[in-house]
Structure formats: C-alpha cells, structure tokens
C-alpha cells in the first residue's frame, strides 16, 4: 500500500512508514492541543514532495490568521501558497447557504484544484450546525463516499473529547484516528499523541510525547520493553575498569554487552568508578559516553584530573564524550529516546548514566520509570554496549539495599559501594552482589580514593564491621 510520508520527526516510524494514501483521518483533541499545527506541518512537508493540499476552514480560525501564525515555523513557506497549499473558506458557505451546499462546494473545489490532500478544519464545527444526529450521519457517509471517488487523503480536524471518539458517527467511517492531548507531570506540561486507529498499516500503540518547536512538530516514540524474548549474540569478552583489585573481583571485568548497577550512598565514589570504566575503554580505543544528571562537564573533568587521569586527551580525540542534562530539565519521555539516538550515532561501546535516580525523580509513575529502563536496557544489550547505571542508596550504612524501585532485577551485574564503621572510623567497602555468568569474589574489600586514583585494599574482618 502506498503511504503518505508526513515528514514529521519520528512520526513515520511510529506509523510504519506513513499514512496510507486515500485514507480518511480524524485529528482530535481539545483546543490548544496542537491539531492545526500537526496537520499544517504535514501538508507543507508534502508540498516539498510535490503534493498539493486543499485546506478548508469552517467557522474556527480564519485562513488569514492561520497563515500569520504559521510564519514562525520553519516548515512554512510563502512559495507554496496558492500553488501547492490552497486555502478555502467553507465557513462562508455554511453561514450563507447552509449545510445542503457543503458537498457541492467541496466537489467544485476538488475539481478545480485536483489536490492530493484535503483538510477540513474544524469538522466538529460542521457537526454543531446540523439540526440532529440523523441528518449529520447521512452527511458524513455522503462525504466519505464523495471523497473516496476523488482518491484524496483526508484530514478532518475537530475539538473532540476522548469519550466522544467511540460514539460519534464520523469516527465509524474514519480509517485513521489521531488523538492529541496534554498532561501535567510535576514540573512539566506535556503534549501526547495516540494513534487509536489506522487501517492498512501496523503502528506503534500507546502514548507518544510530542513537542511544538520552531521547527514544528517533533515526536518522541514511546519506549517500551519488547514483548518477545530478547535475542542477541552472547559475547564472553571482558571489559575492565583498569582498577586492579576490582577487575580481579570481577574475574577480569564486566562481560561485554551487559548492564551493571553501581549502587552507593552519597560520597562513596559511584561517579569516579563509572568514569574510570570509560577512561579504561578510551585507553584501549573504545568510544565511551558519560551522561551526567548530577555533575556538569567541567566538574567531572576536574574530578578526573585530581585523580591523576588523562581525561582531556580522550575528550579531545573523541574517544570519550561527556554530556550534562540538568535534572531540573530532565524529561524522561524525550531524553530517553534522544539518549539512544546519541549512542547509535556515536557508535558507543561503553556507556554510563549517572545517575538513574534522577530518572526516577522525574517520572510520576514508577511503573513508567521501570518500563523506560527495561526498554533502554534491551536496546543497549542488543547493540552489545557495556553499560553502567549508577544509583543512589540513601541508607548510608545499609548492607544490602540497591534501589527502592527494584531496578536491580534488570541488571546483569550489581556492584555495591557502602560505608562501614570500624576502629572508630568510617571506611568504604566494595562488594560484588551479582555478576551474571561469573564466579565473582564474594568478599567485601576496603577501598580508597586518592590523588593517584582508586585503590582496592584487603578484606575487612567481620568483627570490625558495624552490622
């Protein structure tokens, strides 16, 4: 089946390649949800591909006001007006001649301009003018029949509430239904898109974040764990930290392509351990990405320098990249998708997120947080990227807590950093709670972080440890 490419970022991916041509689609949502910009973005992108659109306004926003608002968007071009994008006033026909003349006017405009795409905005306004549901239902079926004869792709825009989508007659004849809506999540006001119906193509279900920017509509597909069992090549190669004692505890390092949690209280050195893992990879010519939600890039560089690590050289030659996203601005719907794009684009082999606790704080729904991390983990494993997630343990002296959200279940390896009280002093110890497929060291070992890096010391006697 031929498909209309929308040209909107990631939307064609969600649609399985685009919208089937000659389909009748309804774009619904409350006022201000982005319906008009959504369709306008599609028709101007289509104009660049040589397609002609006929955009008919009713009694909502006038075409002149609409064009004035569109000028701020990059997708808009004056060059297409009157040629590839033609505006008509269906509202004047409704006001002056009544509903009986709508089909005749529409047929005349299609004959005159021979468009590939026809838009009516707002279709809900036409419904409100009809005297009763029976008359409007007959009009809808006549309209759908007429448009199918002309072989045009149709968009009917309307201010519909979600509860109306299953009961009103126009939705019965629709081939596709896009529903746009907003939600409040703590600090953010978000816009979401759901495709409720699309005949003739497979599409990604669920709610997808979208944003309206100067460029137009940008869609961020919902990340979800795969329903099927994850299939990927198992590799036995080890990737070390370059910390002698720790690599010995791990029987050579982390298995390539696995997910590792480094859990620890504040000040235990989670960031330093994770950063050293990437620097060791850079030394071996492997590309690494450190994504920080906690410390700015300059602060991480200073930390590495104070530990005697040559971070600047690796940053300069591209073997290491550090990106900082403020936890205040962290939007998991958007950034989780962008993170994976960066990883693929840069062909990263070692990857760190410091810390996923910031993800947890940015998501109101804890299950959604788990789903995002599971989905990210599956995609990273499928690309054989060896990944470390650091996570904050708020219990300073707790011996076993990894994370309250039970994210440790998704990890192949779990490294615990914690404090113990011994000989009237506070010491730091490291332990390997889990290392899948490896006979790892079961002992807790003391470590220190000095100007010469991280040093793993000997075992700490049980008698010295605070239980």
């Amino acid at each position: 089946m031929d498909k209309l490419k929308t040209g909107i970022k990631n939307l064609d991916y969600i649609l399985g390649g685009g919208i089937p041509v000659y389909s009748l689609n309804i774009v619904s949502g409350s006022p201000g949800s982005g319906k008009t910009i959504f369709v306008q973005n599609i028709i101007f992108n289509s104009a660049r591909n040589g397609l002609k659109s006929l955009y008919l306004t009713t009694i909502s926003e006038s075409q002149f006001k609409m064009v004035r608002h569109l000028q701020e968007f990059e997708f808009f071009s004056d060059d297409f007006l009157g040629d590839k994008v033609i505006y008509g006033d269906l509202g004047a026909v409704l006001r002056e001649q009544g509903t009986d003349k709508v089909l005749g006017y529409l047929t005349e405009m299609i004959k005159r301009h021979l468009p590939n795409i026809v838009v009516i905005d707002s279709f809900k306004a036409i419904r409100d003018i009809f005297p009763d549901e029976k008359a409007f239902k007959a009009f809808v079926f006549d309209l759908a029949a007429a448009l199918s004869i002309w072989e045009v792709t149709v968009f009917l825009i309307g201010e519909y509430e979600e509860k109306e989508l299953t009961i009103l007659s126009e939705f019965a004849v629709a081939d596709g239904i896009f529903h746009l809506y907003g939600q409040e999540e703590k600090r953010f006001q978000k816009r979401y898109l759901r495709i409720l119906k699309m005949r003739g193509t497979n599409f990604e279900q669920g709610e997808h974040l979208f944003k309206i920017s100067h460029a137009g509509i940008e869609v961020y597909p919902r990340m979800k764990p795969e329903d099927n069992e994850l299939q990927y090549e198992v590799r036995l190669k080890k990737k070390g930290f370059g910390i002698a004692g720790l690599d010995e505890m791990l029987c050579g390092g982390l298995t390539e392509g696995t997910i590792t949690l480094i859990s620890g209280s504040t000040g235990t050195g989670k960031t330093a351990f994770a950063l050293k893992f990437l620097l060791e990879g850079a030394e071996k010519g492997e590309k690494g990405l450190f994504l920080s939600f906690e410390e700015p890039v300059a602060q991480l560089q200073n930390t590495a320098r104070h530990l005697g690590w040559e971070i600047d050289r690796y940053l300069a030659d591209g073997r290491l990249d550090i990106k900082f996203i403020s936890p205040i601005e962290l939007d998991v719907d958007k950034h989780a998708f962008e993170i994976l794009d960066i990883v693929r684009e840069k062909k990263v082999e070692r990857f760190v997120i410091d810390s996923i606790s910031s993800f947890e704080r940015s998501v109101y729904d804890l299950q959604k947080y788990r789903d995002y991390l599971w989905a990210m983990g599956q995609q990273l494993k499928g690309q054989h990227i060896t990944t470390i997630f650091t996570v904050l343990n708020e219990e300073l002296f707790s011996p076993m807590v990894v994370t309250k959200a039970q994210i440790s279940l998704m990890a192949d390896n779990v490294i615990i950093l914690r404090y113990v009280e011994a000989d009237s002093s506070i010491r730091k110890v490291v332990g390997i709670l889990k290392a899948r497929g490896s006979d790892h060291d079961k002992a807790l070992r003391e470590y220190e972080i000095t100007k010469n890096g991280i040093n793993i010391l000997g075992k700490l006697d049980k008698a010295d440890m605070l239980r």
Side-chain angles (χ1 to χ4, degrees):
M1 180 178 290
D2 293 335
K3 293 184 178 180
L4 171 71
K5 302 289 185 182
T6 70
I8 291 176
K9 180 180 178 180
N10 299 319
L11 181 57
D12 291 320
Y13 163 76
I14 292 172
L15 288 165
I19 300 171
V21 297
Y22 313 146
S23 59
L24 190 154
N25 305 278
I26 297 179
V27 181
S28 68
S30 60
S33 59
K35 303 180 300 299
T36 296
I37 298 300
F38 178 79
V39 177
Q40 293 278 0
N41 203 156
I42 292 174
I43 66 172
F44 275 92
N45 289 344
S46 299
R48 288 180 173 83
N49 293 325
L51 301 182
K52 182 184 291 188
S53 297
L54 174 62
Y55 198 106
L56 301 175
T57 58
T58 57
I59 58 174
S60 55
E61 192 173 23
S62 72
Q63 55 187 309
F64 303 107
K65 186 177 179 181
M66 186 181 299
V67 169
R68 187 167 65 249
H69 290 163
L70 288 173
Q71 291 175 349
E72 64 182 273
F73 295 102
E74 292 177 1
F75 64 76
F76 176 81
S77 174
D78 282 320
D79 296 338
F80 296 135
L81 297 179
D83 178 23
K84 295 299 182 183
V85 178
I86 300 157
Y87 289 98
D89 186 3
L90 190 57
V93 177
L94 284 166
R95 290 189 300 272
E96 298 168 11
Q97 302 179 45
T99 56
D100 293 341
K101 302 297 182 180
V102 170
L103 284 178
Y105 174 79
L106 181 60
T107 300
E108 179 186 339
M109 291 292 283
I110 292 175
K111 284 181 178 179
R112 183 189 309 169
H113 298 290
L114 299 176
N116 305 101
I117 300 169
V118 172
V119 182
I120 299 179
D121 182 9
S122 150
F123 194 70
K124 180 72 179 296
I126 299 177
R127 159 180 274 281
D128 294 338
I129 292 175
F130 272 80
D132 55 56
E133 178 64 25
K134 183 178 179 181
F136 180 73
K137 187 174 183 179
F139 167 77
V140 167
F141 282 94
D142 288 343
L143 176 67
L147 291 171
S148 66
I149 294 172
W150 286 104
E151 295 188 339
V152 292
T153 304
V154 181
F155 294 93
L156 306 179
I157 303 174
E159 295 74 31
Y160 296 96
E161 297 180 12
E162 189 166 359
K163 63 183 180 181
E164 296 177 305
L165 305 184
T166 57
I167 60 176
L168 298 183
S169 54
E170 50 266 49
F171 293 94
V173 300
D175 300 300
I177 301 173
F178 298 87
H179 186 57
L180 282 56
Y181 56 99
Q183 284 185 358
E184 296 285 348
E185 274 193 24
K186 291 185 178 178
R187 303 182 301 273
F188 299 105
Q189 180 183 14
K190 297 184 177 182
R191 287 185 169 96
Y192 288 99
L193 160 71
R194 286 169 59 206
I195 303 170
L196 303 180
K197 179 181 180 183
M198 187 60 63
R199 290 186 182 128
T201 186
N202 292 322
F203 59 91
E204 293 289 332
Q205 298 183 5
E207 63 178 20
H208 309 283
L209 177 76
F210 77 93
K211 295 205 168 188
I212 301 176
S213 69
H214 184 62
I217 301 288
E218 298 177 73
V219 180
Y220 297 89
R222 179 176 75 95
M223 291 185 60
K224 65 182 189 305
E226 296 293 335
D227 295 332
N228 299 325
E229 180 182 355
L230 179 63
Q231 301 289 336
Y232 65 98
E233 177 188 356
V234 177
R235 298 181 180 179
L236 301 179
K237 182 180 177 182
K238 296 283 189 174
K239 293 187 182 291
F241 282 79
I243 303 171
L246 181 59
D247 288 335
E248 290 172 8
M249 293 174 71
L250 290 164
C251 300
L254 304 175
T255 302
E256 181 178 322
T258 56
I259 305 292
T260 300
L261 286 185
I262 298 182
S263 174
S265 304
T266 181
T268 52
K270 301 181 298 297
T271 298
F273 275 86
L275 189 55
K276 184 63 172 73
F277 178 73
L278 295 189
L279 290 168
E280 176 67 11
E283 178 68 26
K284 298 179 181 301
E286 300 174 3
K287 288 189 176 181
L289 172 63
F290 192 104
L291 187 65
S292 173
F293 301 124
E294 308 287 344
E295 300 179 44
V297 177
Q299 187 172 328
L300 288 167
Q301 287 179 269
N302 285 332
T303 297
R305 292 178 192 133
H306 291 157
L307 294 173
W309 297 336
E310 296 183 85
I311 190 171
D312 298 296
R313 177 162 61 96
Y314 302 129
L315 288 170
D317 66 19
R319 280 182 280 176
L320 176 63
D321 192 11
I322 301 175
K323 294 192 177 298
F324 171 72
I325 299 174
S326 168
I328 296 174
E329 296 301 323
L330 176 60
D331 183 347
V332 68
D333 291 282
K334 177 174 181 284
H335 287 116
F337 186 83
E338 290 181 334
I339 288 165
L340 291 173
D341 261 359
I342 294 170
V343 168
R344 283 189 290 264
E345 179 185 334
K346 293 185 175 293
K347 299 180 179 178
V348 168
E349 296 175 71
R350 299 189 184 206
F351 177 47
V352 169
I353 293 183
D354 182 33
S355 73
I356 60 170
S357 302
S358 296
F359 261 47
E360 184 174 349
R361 288 192 293 270
S362 72
V363 180
Y364 179 77
D365 183 351
L366 193 59
Q367 184 58 50
K368 186 176 185 179
Y369 163 67
R370 294 192 187 103
D371 287 348
Y372 269 85
L373 288 182
W374 272 102
M376 285 186 67
Q378 286 180 322
Q379 294 200 38
L380 291 166
K381 282 186 176 184
Q383 298 175 61
H384 305 289
I385 297 167
T386 311
T387 303
I388 291 177
F389 296 151
T390 70
V391 59
L392 176 65
N393 177 3
E394 296 179 354
E395 303 290 335
L396 291 180
F397 291 91
S398 171
M400 296 302 291
V401 173
V402 179
T403 166
K404 293 179 180 178
Q406 299 181 331
I407 297 302
S408 56
L409 298 174
M410 66 167 283
D412 302 292
N413 317 299
V414 178
I415 299 174
I416 300 291
L417 307 178
R418 57 178 287 246
Y419 295 109
V420 298
E421 184 180 341
D423 298 328
S424 299
S425 64
I426 296 175
R427 303 182 189 180
K428 298 173 182 175
V429 296
V430 57
I432 312 301
L433 187 62
K434 178 169 72 170
R436 193 164 288 159
S438 174
D439 185 20
H440 60 87
D441 192 333
K442 310 300 190 298
L444 288 173
R445 298 184 180 273
E446 187 177 359
Y447 68 93
E448 59 181 9
I449 302 176
T450 72
K451 64 180 181 179
N452 297 316
I454 301 172
N455 301 313
I456 306 297
L457 307 176
K459 298 180 182 180
L460 211 62
D461 293 336
K462 290 183 178 180
D464 296 331
M465 297 174 60
L466 181 67
R467 294 180 182 276

